[in-house]
Amino acid sequence: MEILQGFVDAVVGIFNSSGLTTLNWQNYVMIGISIVLLYLAIKKQYEPLLLLPIAFGMLLVNLYPSIMSAPSTEMIPLADYVKDHTGAIQYPITELNGAEYVNYPTYGGLLWYLYQGVKLGIYPPLIFLGIGCMTDFGPLISNPKSLILGAAAQIGIFVTFTGAIFLGFTAAEAGAIGIIGGADGPTAIFVTTKLAPHLLGSIAIAAYSYMALVPIIQPPIMKALTTKKERAVVMEQLRPVSKLEKIMFPVIVVIIIAIFLPDAAPLVGMLMLGNLFKESGVVERINKTAQNELMNIITIFLGTTVGATASGQTFLTFDTIKIIVLGLIAFCMGTAFGVLFGKIMYVATGGKVNPLIGSAGVSAVPMAARVSQKVGQRENPGNFLLMHAMGPNVAGVIGSAVAAGVLLNVVG
């Protein structure tokens, strides 16, 4: 009979500690959302390198919330601790009601430790290091005017920042929400961890979702703001860029930005360091490591832990809905301002600039540039805009980092 009772108690204990009793409806909703995101990442291949780990991190934390639990301390009676341990006591001792207790640290959840790289602002700059190793700034150097289009696409960030304040968010929260418009996931995470870490899950998922949906969101805006004649413009071939120019560019950029906008230095500095690895030609092993092994490792840690911040209790709120809507507005406005400034350049150059390349001013590299190419080729099959669009595209990477620095300086 005692054996049977022990078995029943064991079964009841397992059931009481299972997700069937510890999870609530918010967790189950988020599990469903994570499965949808996994489908989009695997089946539709929407930014799978980031969306897949984010979705799986979201799945894990809603199945097992303790995977993100922070370490704490357990008060153990001093006599019990001494009985079970040898050597000097390494932990603080507290006296309570005449008795002494050892403050023994407990272990946190697995993803909590990995998340410290996000919280401390380590992962996003390392991602920028890898991006720099894979980025060719040649189109931007060859056509410096494209820097204007990259800057124009950041206007949506600041317009949305203002709108978020009117909707009741604090200045810091509004800054983190507005940066979604840059279509740059690492920058959005970097800014959010410093300004509004409690919104990280919502903002990161919105940022990466809109990055993945660039081929769907941008074309209607591009077509609505341009004429068939403008979309069919064939641009002249870019001039060749020397190796010396490519080596000097990252050094000059980091000097200027670090002096005038120090808050942007961690992102821009690592971006330019990675690019210098690439263009110098003397550190090929480091270059390959930074853009492959290191980039892949950091992407896994970053994506999984960011997804793990989206527990049902914190994600399913009315503020999240507002953030997702504001993020979409920011992204659409960034695209629209880039195209509109492209139209201004079209007029100023007498029809030599195709306004479509302005949409690539958001920093979703190289997807936004490919969208410019595809939309342009639909109007004129002989049109090749990819390299022209890469100028605003890589300018958008720098622009989003600069915008982040401005926001951190103003509201941080």
Side-chain angles (χ1 to χ4, degrees):
M1 190 65 182
E2 291 182 1
I3 295 177
L4 179 60
Q5 183 62 44
F7 175 76
V8 171
D9 291 342
V11 171
V12 171
I14 292 172
F15 177 79
N16 288 335
S17 63
S18 71
L20 295 173
T21 58
T22 58
L23 303 183
N24 56 33
W25 67 270
Q26 291 106 320
N27 296 121
Y28 290 113
V29 171
M30 293 305 296
I31 289 169
I33 292 174
S34 67
I35 291 172
V36 171
L37 294 178
L38 285 171
Y39 169 80
L40 294 175
I42 298 170
K43 180 66 176 179
K44 300 296 184 180
Q45 297 188 17
Y46 287 163
E47 206 71 31
L49 292 177
L50 284 164
L51 200 57
L52 194 151
I54 286 174
F56 202 81
M58 186 189 303
L59 178 66
L60 279 174
V61 79
N62 284 284
L63 286 170
Y64 179 59
S66 294
I67 203 166
M68 275 291 280
S69 62
S72 59
T73 57
E74 178 183 359
M75 295 183 67
I76 301 176
L78 179 60
D80 293 343
Y81 180 86
V82 171
K83 182 175 63 177
D84 297 332
H85 299 80
T86 58
I89 300 173
Q90 304 175 5
Y91 307 107
I93 297 175
T94 300
E95 186 173 340
L96 186 64
N97 297 327
E100 290 185 314
Y101 296 85
V102 175
N103 295 286
Y104 189 77
T106 60
Y107 294 103
L110 168 65
L111 295 187
W112 183 87
Y113 292 102
L114 297 180
Y115 177 70
Q116 300 314 297
V118 177
K119 185 177 180 180
L120 299 174
I122 298 171
Y123 294 158
L126 291 179
I127 291 286
F128 263 62
L129 176 69
I131 293 173
C133 292
M134 297 184 286
T135 300
D136 181 7
F137 285 109
L140 176 59
I141 300 170
S142 179
N143 184 19
K145 293 190 297 293
S146 57
L147 188 64
I148 299 173
L149 300 178
Q154 312 309 315
I155 295 176
I157 293 175
F158 298 99
V159 175
T160 306
F161 166 73
T162 305
I165 291 177
F166 279 111
L167 285 179
F169 289 99
T170 66
E173 291 171 338
I177 294 168
I179 205 69
I180 297 173
D184 190 331
T187 302
I189 292 170
F190 184 78
V191 172
T192 305
T193 53
K194 294 182 178 298
L195 296 182
H198 57 289
L199 299 179
L200 180 61
S202 305
I203 290 174
I205 290 169
Y208 281 114
S209 296
Y210 295 139
M211 284 175 62
L213 294 174
V214 162
I216 296 173
I217 296 173
Q218 284 198 321
I221 300 171
M222 297 161 69
K223 291 179 180 178
L225 296 176
T226 56
T227 65
K228 183 178 178 66
K229 179 182 177 182
E230 291 169 342
R231 294 194 294 272
V233 169
V234 177
M235 297 181 65
E236 297 178 359
Q237 186 174 356
L238 295 171
R239 72 169 179 85
V241 178
S242 69
K243 182 175 181 179
L244 178 61
E245 288 177 290
K246 290 187 174 183
I247 291 175
M248 290 177 60
F249 180 81
V251 177
I252 293 172
V253 169
V254 77
I255 289 173
I256 293 173
I257 291 180
I259 289 176
F260 291 99
L261 198 61
D263 288 314
L267 294 177
V268 176
M270 296 305 283
L271 177 71
M272 295 305 158
L273 174 60
N275 189 249
L276 194 58
F277 286 163
K278 173 180 181 293
E279 301 299 350
S280 67
V282 296
V283 287
E284 193 58 29
R285 281 168 45 191
I286 295 178
N287 179 49
K288 288 182 178 178
T289 299
Q291 67 176 281
N292 292 300
E293 290 84 0
L294 179 62
M295 182 79 157
N296 292 336
I297 291 169
I298 298 301
T299 298
I300 293 170
F301 290 170
L302 177 71
T304 307
T305 53
V306 164
T309 62
S311 64
Q313 291 80 1
T314 59
F315 191 86
L316 294 179
T317 64
F318 185 58
D319 278 349
T320 298
I321 297 174
K322 290 193 288 185
I323 288 169
I324 290 173
V325 173
L326 285 168
L328 178 60
I329 293 172
F331 181 73
C332 291
M333 291 184 69
T335 300
F337 277 111
V339 174
L340 290 174
F341 270 75
K343 287 172 72 75
I344 293 173
M345 293 183 69
Y346 168 82
V347 174
T349 59
K352 294 182 179 180
V353 172
N354 191 315
L356 293 178
I357 68 171
S359 65
V362 297
S363 63
V365 180
M367 192 178 298
R370 289 174 183 164
V371 171
S372 298
Q373 162 77 10
K374 289 180 181 178
V375 175
Q377 271 200 327
R378 289 195 192 110
E379 302 297 344
N380 183 351
N383 207 353
F384 295 94
L385 296 175
L386 182 60
M387 292 309 296
H388 297 283
M390 282 302 297
N393 209 185
V394 296
V397 177
I398 300 173
S400 65
V402 169
V406 171
L407 291 170
L408 289 172
N409 184 266
V410 173
V411 300

